[in-house]
Amino acid sequence: MQVIKSAVAAALATLALSASAMTPIQDTELSAVSGQDGVSIAANLNIKMDSFVYTDTDALDANGMGGGSISFNGIKVQGLIAASIDILSKNSFLAAAGAAGVTNPGTFYNPATGGDVVQIAIPADVQVAAGKLMNISVDSIKMGNNAASYGSVAMNQVDLRGTQVWIWAH
């Protein structure tokens, strides 16, 4: 029994001695490291909402105008969407914004002091089967408590490919 205890103690001591703390890596060593960056997200959306109601809370005026509501009922969003999330350096962001047609990024981003930017992009080259792009519909649009509907609305095959969204702190 003593032999087993001694063997276990020796094994544990060996493990403890072989553990080492993290050490800094030099820039020259880091430049030789390669890997993946960014995050990709893909979703097959199937969102349903009973209603979206807008209510005007203004009091009635002398002509009986004011107040009321409108409701959008049976809202659905369905279809495929794929996006990637990346961190862009200041120069990469300014290049991407310029390529997107931004002529003066200084109106919303400080090119002198701005830092990294998070980019959420829906790649332009994502292949989607026919009829599988996003569809958005509203079954009925009603005023107040009226049962009659103004009709419905549908946006079919909404193609968001090539869309870019940028987020940064300031």
Side-chain angles (χ1 to χ4, degrees):
M1 183 61 141
Q2 186 62 25
V3 172
I4 293 175
K5 286 182 184 179
S6 296
V8 169
L12 290 174
T14 303
L15 285 175
L17 291 174
S18 67
S20 63
M22 292 180 59
T23 57
I25 187 169
Q26 298 299 317
D27 285 342
T28 54
E29 296 168 318
L30 187 58
S31 66
V33 175
S34 65
Q36 297 288 325
D37 65 344
V39 175
S40 295
I41 300 171
N44 183 13
L45 301 176
N46 191 15
I47 302 168
K48 295 179 182 173
M49 185 182 333
D50 286 342
S51 66
F52 169 81
V53 179
Y54 168 75
T55 303
D56 182 356
T57 59
D58 290 344
L60 293 177
D61 63 15
N63 297 318
M65 303 297 288
S69 66
I70 185 168
S71 63
F72 298 81
N73 307 293
I75 302 167
K76 297 178 212 63
V77 179
Q78 298 173 309
L80 297 173
I81 188 167
S84 63
I85 301 174
D86 292 300
I87 305 296
L88 301 181
S89 68
K90 176 180 15 182
N91 292 337
S92 294
F93 165 64
L94 292 171
V102 176
T103 58
N104 185 5
T107 59
F108 58 88
Y109 176 85
N110 187 331
T113 61
D116 292 345
V117 173
V118 175
Q119 175 179 274
I120 302 170
I122 301 173
D125 59 353
V126 170
Q127 300 297 311
V128 178
K132 295 296 184 180
L133 290 172
M134 193 169 9
N135 296 305
I136 303 169
S137 64
V138 176
D139 291 342
S140 66
I141 302 169
K142 299 179 180 182
M143 292 289 290
N145 294 323
N146 195 328
S149 173
Y150 285 101
S152 61
V153 175
M155 293 182 280
N156 297 315
Q157 298 301 288
V158 178
D159 190 348
L160 298 174
R161 292 177 290 185
T163 299
Q164 295 172 310
V165 177
W166 299 300
I167 304 168
W168 64 92
H170 52 87

